[in-house]
Amino acid sequence: MATATLARQIGSGIIKATNSTGSGGWFSPHMAAASRAIAERMPLVDLVLEVRDARIPLSSAFKQLENYTSSSKRIIVMNKVDLASRSELKEWTKYFEQNNCISYGVNAHNKESIKQFLNFLQARVRELNNVDHSTYTATILLLGIPNVGKSALANYLHRIGRISAAEKGRLKHATVSLQPGEKKDISIFKIGSHPNIYVLDTPGVLPPQIHDEEVCTKLALTGTIIDCFAGEKELAQCFLAILNRSNEYKKWAKLSNSENGRTLIDHSLEYSNNSEDMKQKRQHPADHTQDFIVQDVRQTLFKVISSFDGVTEDEMLIEDEIKAVQRAFQVPMESKKSTQHKIEAKLLNLFRTRWLGHYTLDSIPRKL
């Protein structure tokens, strides 16, 4: 089954599921209230940061900004650059520049990336007014759809930008929701002084309805639309179809078979400097994010794809991959449905956290 066809089928299913709920689907009363609150504040702030997912720079656009014409006050922030294709990210930056949009790529969980972004913001704020910077106060509105990392960005900007010991003792954190669309309140954080800069962190808001099937699928793949609307089975199949026609799996050809050998997955250590924590994690094979399990999954997928005789978008290949990674994930054989569900959930998680490659799912629009 062609990837595009599968994506359209998933998107169509999402649209039908949300339309049949009778409760507005994902557009909750909290989203409606947040949408109104954002519209009220937009004219009052100095800068608007529209946070998007770098993997889907167009599909993750905040539709409420379509009628917002002040390009000098709006900055497109492509977050999660660590999950996206680096080469394609550069092309997207050029695309936005050519369309007179200010854009910036950032990783909200990387200290150095946040420092550079904060310096960029401070420079932009100073350009807004030729006034005494020691007394000037600027307000930045941080907005976007769910699950693009707004609250994480607010937290780290605040953490890096706090300037006095007194503020360090009263550090306030933005609430990061476990499920997309759960954040309800607008929070304010100080991220700089001289001039004083405050950020308003807003709830993620989706439009009441999305009619583009492929956009729906991309939002579901990246975790913006919760899995129950699309189905983990279908999303896992769609990811494998994307993997099969990419070059990502070819990078795994030379992975070492030795658990102790140094491999491409050693960069996982950048997320944990605590050796005791790592030792404890290795004692739990059920944790599919461990180095040796990720390595086994990569090797297994590489072997299955490389040895397949048919077309890489063939349904048979996807079925073979699902069966093969069961052993790599160390999932015990229970009922067929339960076993497959666990495998699909683990595959999706590894895809969404970049352990199975870096992907940009949106294509740059062709010039007419």
Side-chain angles (χ1 to χ4, degrees):
M1 182 183 297
T3 308
T5 302
L6 180 57
R8 285 193 295 270
Q9 288 184 357
I10 293 172
S12 177
I14 293 172
I15 293 170
K16 289 178 181 177
T18 54
N19 288 342
S20 64
T21 59
S23 59
W26 54 66
F27 194 73
S28 66
H30 297 300
M31 276 196 189
S35 183
R36 291 190 296 270
I38 290 169
E40 291 170 359
R41 286 166 174 78
M42 210 176 294
L44 308 176
V45 299
D46 298 280
L47 283 176
V48 174
L49 300 186
E50 181 195 355
V51 186
R52 299 189 186 183
D53 189 322
R55 295 168 294 179
I56 46 173
L58 278 189
S59 298
S60 58
F62 190 75
K63 296 300 181 182
Q64 196 168 334
L65 277 178
E66 286 183 345
N67 298 321
Y68 188 72
T69 56
S70 181
S71 58
S72 62
K73 288 178 61 175
R74 171 191 174 214
I75 300 171
I76 296 174
V77 182
M78 291 184 285
N79 190 25
K80 305 187 180 184
V81 294
D82 54 314
L83 306 181
S85 163
R86 290 184 181 180
S87 60
E88 293 191 52
L89 182 65
K90 291 179 182 178
E91 295 302 314
W92 275 105
T93 302
K94 291 180 185 177
Y95 169 79
F96 286 125
E97 183 180 349
Q98 291 167 357
N99 285 273
N100 299 316
C101 294
I102 302 169
S103 67
Y104 195 98
V106 68
N107 174 1
H109 296 284
N110 181 280
K111 185 177 180 180
E112 191 58 37
S113 180
I114 292 297
K115 280 184 177 180
Q116 293 174 7
F117 183 47
L118 183 58
N119 291 336
F120 167 79
L121 289 178
Q122 289 172 327
R124 294 294 303 176
V125 168
R126 291 189 181 103
E127 291 173 3
L128 293 176
N129 290 279
N130 293 318
V131 297
D132 182 1
H133 295 318
S134 63
T135 58
Y136 178 63
T137 297
T139 305
I140 297 175
L141 187 64
L142 196 65
L143 48 74
I145 64 174
N147 204 42
V148 290
K150 295 183 304 302
S151 294
L153 190 60
N155 276 330
Y156 280 92
L157 282 171
H158 179 48
R159 183 177 298 174
I160 299 298
R162 58 192 178 173
I163 41 80
S164 71
E167 284 180 275
K168 289 181 182 179
R170 296 184 288 107
L171 180 60
K172 178 183 177 184
H173 288 282
T175 302
V176 180
S177 301
L178 297 177
Q179 289 289 344
E182 284 188 346
K183 181 178 172 62
K184 301 176 182 179
D185 303 317
I186 294 178
S187 306
I188 186 166
F189 303 91
K190 187 174 183 179
I191 65 168
S193 61
H194 311 300
N196 296 310
I197 306 175
Y198 292 87
V199 162
L200 296 176
D201 176 35
T202 63
V205 176
L206 282 168
Q209 290 184 323
I210 301 174
H211 300 289
D212 189 311
E213 294 169 346
E214 291 192 23
V215 168
C216 282
T217 301
K218 292 171 185 176
L219 292 176
L221 278 169
T222 52
T224 292
I225 295 175
I226 57 177
D227 293 343
C228 66
F229 285 122
E232 285 181 327
K233 176 182 178 181
E234 290 76 11
L235 290 175
Q237 289 176 341
C238 191
F239 157 62
L240 289 173
I242 292 169
L243 169 67
N244 296 342
R245 68 187 180 101
S246 75
N247 291 319
E248 289 296 294
Y249 75 91
K250 297 177 182 177
K251 300 174 183 178
W252 308 332
K254 296 181 180 180
L255 284 177
S256 170
N257 286 317
S258 170
E259 180 182 333
N260 297 319
R262 190 165 178 78
T263 71
L264 294 175
I265 52 180
D266 285 335
H267 63 280
S268 64
L269 294 176
E270 70 186 5
Y271 287 97
S272 175
N273 294 320
N274 190 318
S275 59
E276 289 301 316
D277 286 348
M278 295 301 291
K279 288 178 182 177
Q280 290 177 10
K281 285 184 70 176
R282 291 191 185 103
Q283 296 173 5
H284 300 282
D287 180 5
H288 60 278
T289 63
Q290 293 178 95
D291 287 4
F292 72 95
I293 292 182
V294 173
Q295 178 171 324
D296 284 348
V297 171
R298 287 175 167 179
Q299 289 174 326
T300 299
L301 289 172
F302 173 79
K303 290 175 182 176
V304 173
I305 299 170
S306 301
S307 61
F308 189 70
D309 294 331
V311 181
T312 56
E313 292 188 348
D314 197 309
E315 288 181 80
M316 290 291 293
L317 174 56
I318 294 175
E319 290 180 10
D320 290 347
E321 288 170 309
I322 294 288
K323 293 176 183 177
V325 294
Q326 178 189 344
R327 183 173 181 179
F329 278 131
Q330 301 186 22
V331 176
M333 189 62 188
E334 301 170 355
S335 68
K336 182 179 179 180
K337 185 176 181 181
S338 174
T339 301
Q340 281 200 328
H341 175 75
K342 290 179 180 178
I343 294 169
E344 291 152 3
K346 291 175 186 290
L347 272 174
L348 277 178
N349 178 261
L350 291 185
F351 157 64
R352 289 168 176 167
T353 50
R354 69 97 171 90
W355 295 120
L356 293 181
H358 301 77
Y359 303 88
T360 299
L361 305 181
D362 278 341
S363 298
I364 293 177
R366 296 179 181 177
K367 293 182 180 179
L368 299 177

